[in-house]
Amino acid sequence: MADKKAQLIIEGAAPIDLPVYSGTMGPDVVDVRALGSSGYFTFDPGFMATSSCESKITYIDGDKGILLHRGYPIEQLAEKSDFLETCYLLLKGELPDAEQKSKFVETVQKHTMVHEQLKNFLNGFRRDAHPMAVMCGIVGALSAFYHDSLDINDAKHREVSAIRLIAKMPTIAAMVYKYSKGEPVIYPRNDLSYSENFLHMMFNTPCEEKKISPVLARAMDRIFVLHADHEQNASTSTVRLAGSSGANPFACIAAGIAALWGPAHGGANEAVLRMLDEIGDVSNIEKFIAKAKDKDDPFKLMGFGHRVYKNFDPRAKVMKQTCDEVLGELGINDPQLELAMKLEEIARNDPYFVERNLYPNVDFYSGIILKAIGIPTEMFTVIFAAGRTPGWIAHWNEMISGPYKIGRPRQLYTGYPQRDYPSK
Ligand code: ACO
């Protein structure tokens, strides 16, 4: 329902009335859908001011550093909830009661194994392949294994696919890691929590089963919770766009994984560690800060800045606290982590970064925590993908459950006008 009206006046044309809608929170939106029939399109590369959909899942206020899932602040979810409960919340809209939660956890646990034949797929990849390349392939291939739940118009099928994806993502991630190391795949254990099980599949071997540290399992769970959703970011929008054509959920999530891989998005946590390698030593920080400020130099401080959070990233606050806990638990004395902390301190006080509101984002700290836990750099974005899976599915499901149209943006064409093929 339109609460207000806007009028667009274009020189030489009749004014165009456009409805304006108000959400529960956030800026009002001008509905420009009628513009096309008046012979105009809007132009907004990078979607700087475009709402691509209506959604009830996540709310972000970038200026105030607010992130809410179904109304609940991320800080409270990180402290009081856990990943599977957050998944339930994102998917179903409400927190589960005790019975609903244990049933949900049990259902996820029953789906943690993957089809044994998926290992054949794994064997087709080079062992030195980037894990994200393997993830894209394997997750896309799930639709070839679980085609009993691919009717996107059937709510039950959508639910089964959602559970399968949430349950199998850590198993696939750990399989990809073990394959890269040449170690045997470790099967999931349903007596462990979601995050303990992930660390078990990553670090245990058939010869040695170590007890998972509760501090590290909690840190892992927080990383998953803090990445669970972030409204219409590049990968989620990719999932929605792919889904709008009627593609199956596994194919859509594979598309999301591909979009997440880029260093401006989920690839940033890996890029943080590569940058620390490049900087090498605390004595080089000043030189690299100068490079980051130099407009002619492509170098950027990875893990700093965010498209939406122009004040602070609320997830980064929680992640920093977890980072301190993990480093304390492990008693780590790694020069690279010291370098990261020094870099953070300098950048936080440098006018260039302060004036542009370039604060450390969630990836800055998650990269440091994952390194401390012993997870190799190439696996960082894979873990982000596992954490973001419930968000991707919740958005995909929200779109499919309501009326939707295939996503088809228009363009401002600046190429040649029509011309004739030259005669020979
Ligand atoms: N280092 C140095 N300068 C930067 C950085 C950075 N990390 N980020 C932005 N700037 C500068 C820009 O050069 C620009 O300067 P100017 O105003 O003098 O031209 C200004 O800050 C504004 O930056 P934009 O690029 O316009 O901001 P935008 O919103 O388009 O980009 C982005 C946000 C992509 C995250 C950017 O800050 C960046 O590339 N950061 C590093 C990569 C990163 O950490 N990505 C993770 C994002 S979080 C996530 O995906 C979970």
Side-chain angles (χ1 to χ4, degrees), residues 202-213:
M202 284 287 292
F203 295 119
N204 281 333
T205 66
C207 322
E208 193 183 8
E209 198 160 301
K210 284 182 245 152
K211 198 170 162 3
I212 306 298
S213 146

Side-chain angles (χ1 to χ4, degrees), residues 85 96 106 142 169 210 226 250 278 347 349 382:
E85 189 177 71
E106 201 187 312
L142 290 179
M169 212 56 132
K210 284 182 245 152
L226 294 177
F250 301 108
E278 199 185 342
N349 294 306
V382 170

Side-chain angles (χ1 to χ4, degrees), residues 265 295 300-304 307 310 352 356 361 363:
H265 191 10
K295 289 281 157 263
K300 274 189 174 180
L301 271 197
M302 299 315 285
F304 284 76
R307 167 58 64 81
K310 297 301 181 193
Y352 173 93
R356 287 170 180 74
N361 57 46
D363 287 328

Side-chain angles (χ1 to χ4, degrees), residues 41 47 241 244-245 405-411:
F41 295 140
F47 302 110
L241 197 56
S244 75
S245 72
K405 278 186 171 298
I406 184 167
R408 175 50 168 100
R410 307 307 290 249
Q411 63 172 7

Side-chain angles (χ1 to χ4, degrees), residues 238-266:
T238 301
V239 171
R240 279 190 181 254
L241 197 56
S244 75
S245 72
N248 73 67
F250 301 108
C252 295
I253 301 304
I257 293 173
L260 186 75
W261 192 359
H265 191 10

